[in-house]
Amino acid sequence: MLVMKLGGASVKDAASVRNVVEILLNYNQQPCIVIISAMHKTTNELETLAKLAADGKESRAIEQFERIKNFHLEIVDDLFGTETQAISNILDAYFVEIQRLVEGILLLGEFPALMYDRIVAFGELISTRIVAAYVDWITQKCLWLDARDFIKTDMQYGRAKVIWTITGENIEQKLKPQLAAGKIVITQGFIAATLQGKTTTLGREGSDFSAAIFAYCLNAEKMIVWKDVPGVMNADPKLRPDAVKMDKLSYEQAVEMTFYGATVIHPKTIQPLYTKKIPLYVKSFNNREAEGTCISAEADDKKTPIYISKPNQIVLKITPTDFSFMDEEQVQYVYNKITFCGLKANMSQISAISLYLCFDDKASLLKDIEAELLDRFKIESQSGFTLSTVINFTDADKPSANFAPMVQFVGNKMCVVK
Ligand code: ASP
Ligand code: MG
């Protein structure tokens, strides 16, 4: 059993969709399911559409809607030529639904998370419909399935939590019997549904996680993520031109990398794969034969330094107003409040009377934390930092004497906020 995931860049235009067929035909000798994201940046475009409607910018919302529609219809025309009838009927129905949602948002003047999920889900629905129709047209052996029939979640729209037991049963009982060698089964990443059937999403860039959910529940032999890069790089080539591709990485290294800001795979992807020891291959769709990177229980024995940087960080220094020690009880109190605010620190350090926390800088973060803590603590904040992490660091990577508000060495890992 094989699970493959294709992201937005791998289906960004008609030529990429044609390339996808080649990939799928190469790998369908065994039962296989293919998880696909929205085409190119469609999720962002749908977000913009919802925002324009919520702000009452009706004519701009209509323009944006037309743009999204035409982008997809041009790909359809290119792929199917004069044979567009079947796919057009399906897409037309989707576009009518999107239009209704936009009208609803215009009336409301806002979009509740529930409506956000319904609208952005169309990115994946449209994309998989187009790809599946095209693959079936070429191969006559493609099946399109709705991921919402299998992946069930709670009602936290926008960042829904998977209900693993029911999802597992659905996949085992309803999906598995439909998979067979020679067949190409296509479904959506990112989207799921509540037990009542309402559309939810798993968080931005969540398609990798969707694929991992399928891989876990199907006890897949392996999972392959197709990307526009040769594999997992040891640094962002835009920041370090000497970046190299890693041949292999351990699950642990991969989790550390994604936690500290590497965007090559979604942070939640590794855990389900690790639990079942399913190897994850990251491969380039531009160079299908190349080896890519294998993430498994086996570590990279070359100890290649890995550089990750997470910009836009804010550092808070939290000090009890009565000058008492920042002891376990105080730290626990602060953490409870932070959890209550739905926030997660990227790094923390404790000194005698202060707790230093580093967060992704979000608009309401400081206000939310202050509302919970100002009765007992003084809060000083400074923003505009980058969290730089080096795994397998060497002396050369250590910060010079320059002031950095937070520096941490843990095992083979160094984190600097500067
Ligand atoms: N299309 C979704 C997003 O852009 C999910 C994904 O690409 O993984 O966030
Ligand atoms: Mg994406």
Side-chain angles (χ1 to χ4, degrees):
M1 183 75 65
L2 173 66
V3 174
M4 295 206 274
K5 184 256 168 175
L6 291 150
S10 59
V11 286
K12 69 175 194 304
D13 52 25
S16 333
V17 176
R18 291 192 180 94
N19 184 41
V20 162
V21 182
E22 301 286 314
I23 295 178
L24 301 187
L25 283 175
N26 237 318
Y27 281 88
N28 77 332
Q29 297 81 358
Q30 57 181 311
C32 169
I33 180 161
V34 187
I35 316 313
I36 303 182
S37 306
M39 288 176 155
H40 199 42
K41 306 259 185 260
T42 300
T43 312
N44 293 352
E45 301 286 350
L46 288 164
E47 263 184 12
T48 305
L49 172 61
K51 281 185 193 135
L52 287 170
D55 292 345
K57 296 180 176 145
E58 187 170 353
S59 59
R60 283 187 56 202
I62 295 169
E63 265 170 47
Q64 177 70 3
F65 169 75
E66 291 299 328
R67 231 158 66 114
I68 296 170
K69 188 171 161 183
N70 291 336
F71 166 74
H72 289 98
L73 293 185
E74 273 168 28
I75 295 177
V76 166
D77 279 344
D78 191 329
L79 290 172
F80 296 88
T82 52
E83 307 268 330
T84 55
Q85 197 55 47
I87 181 70
S88 293
N89 290 342
I90 297 172
L91 298 187
D92 283 348
Y94 285 168
F95 289 125
V96 168
E97 271 190 74
I98 298 176
Q99 234 168 342
R100 284 212 192 104
L101 282 164
V102 171
E103 281 158 19
I105 297 172
L106 274 163
L107 273 177
L108 275 175
E110 60 174 337
F111 55 95
L114 171 144
M115 268 170 124
Y116 168 88
D117 279 0
R118 279 196 60 193
I119 203 160
V120 292
F122 279 104
E124 270 66 15
L125 290 169
I126 295 171
S127 152
T128 52
R129 283 293 195 180
I130 296 174
V131 178
Y134 183 70
V135 173
D136 195 54
W137 192 44
I138 303 289
T139 67
Q140 267 104 50
K141 49 193 175 192
C142 182
L143 175 66
W144 177 92
L145 293 176
D146 191 327
R148 295 172 296 182
D149 293 337
F150 310 110
I151 302 186
K152 297 293 170 182
T153 67
D154 65 9
M155 289 170 23
Q156 290 189 64
Y157 297 99
R159 51 186 172 108
K161 295 265 170 334
V162 176
I163 304 172
W164 285 93
T165 44
I166 297 169
T167 300
E169 279 164 26
N170 287 340
I171 290 178
E172 177 69 31
Q173 288 160 17
K174 296 197 268 175
L175 173 66
K176 214 170 176 183
Q178 307 201 61
L179 304 177
K183 219 160 126 181
I184 298 169
V185 177
I186 288 178
T187 194
Q188 310 75 38
F190 183 50
I191 70 172
T194 64
L195 295 176
Q196 292 74 33
K198 297 255 187 276
T199 301
T200 53
T201 60
L202 304 173
R204 288 301 310 269
E205 303 304 329
S207 294
D208 294 340
F209 181 44
S210 296
I213 296 169
F214 282 109
Y216 176 92
C217 295
L218 289 165
N219 291 310
E221 246 156 73
K222 65 170 151 180
M223 174 169 145
I224 305 176
V225 172
W226 294 94
K227 304 215 48 132
D228 53 0
V229 287
V232 179
M233 309 293 286
N234 77 325
D236 180 347
K238 280 183 235 113
L239 301 176
R240 297 184 74 104
D242 58 347
V244 292
K245 182 202 66 123
M246 311 280 296
D247 295 336
K248 52 185 183 178
L249 271 178
S250 66
Y251 293 116
E252 195 184 326
Q253 282 176 314
V255 167
E256 292 275 352
M257 283 180 76
T258 57
F259 180 87
Y260 285 101
T263 52
V264 62
I265 25 179
H266 188 277
K268 284 191 185 163
T269 312
I270 304 297
Q271 195 224 6
L273 302 178
Y274 164 81
T275 315
K276 295 235 170 134
K277 299 287 174 282
I278 301 167
L280 167 62
Y281 292 82
V282 179
K283 286 167 78 80
S284 162
F285 56 73
N286 294 317
N287 190 1
R288 303 194 298 264
E289 303 309 318
E291 252 194 43
T293 301
C294 174
I295 301 170
S296 70
E298 244 178 81
D300 152 54
D301 36 22
K302 289 187 226 146
K303 301 251 188 299
T304 313
I306 301 170
Y307 301 91
I308 310 139
S309 86
K310 211 173 204 278
N312 200 24
Q313 302 292 299
I314 181 168
V315 172
L316 305 189
K317 180 184 175 192
I318 301 171
T319 314
T321 36
D322 63 0
F323 214 68
S324 57
F325 287 120
M326 196 33 117
D327 60 9
E328 280 73 5
E329 190 265 318
Q330 303 267 41
V331 171
Q332 195 174 14
Y333 182 88
V334 173
Y335 268 110
N336 284 343
K337 295 293 187 186
I338 282 170
T339 310
F340 175 79
C341 294
L343 297 166
K344 269 198 193 84
N346 294 326
M347 185 174 162
S348 63
Q349 272 181 316
I350 305 172
S351 71
I353 55 159
S354 300
L355 173 64
Y356 291 77
L357 296 172
C358 167
F359 294 93
D360 293 339
D361 198 356
K362 289 193 206 115
S364 66
L365 178 134
L366 188 58
K367 212 173 73 229
D368 292 351
I369 295 183
E370 280 179 348
E372 293 299 320
L373 291 177
L374 274 187
D375 56 340
R376 275 177 65 171
F377 300 88
K378 185 173 101 184
I379 301 177
E380 291 158 78
S381 70
Q382 221 184 326
S383 51
F385 293 114
T386 294
L387 169 59
S388 303
T389 303
V390 188
I391 302 174
N392 293 327
F393 68 94
T394 63
D395 280 346
D397 299 313
K398 287 186 184 161
S400 55
N402 288 347
F403 176 71
M406 294 173 80
V407 180
Q408 200 171 59
F409 295 90
V410 183
N412 64 342
K413 190 179 69 211
M414 177 185 82
C415 301
V416 182
V417 176
K418 60 181 180 201

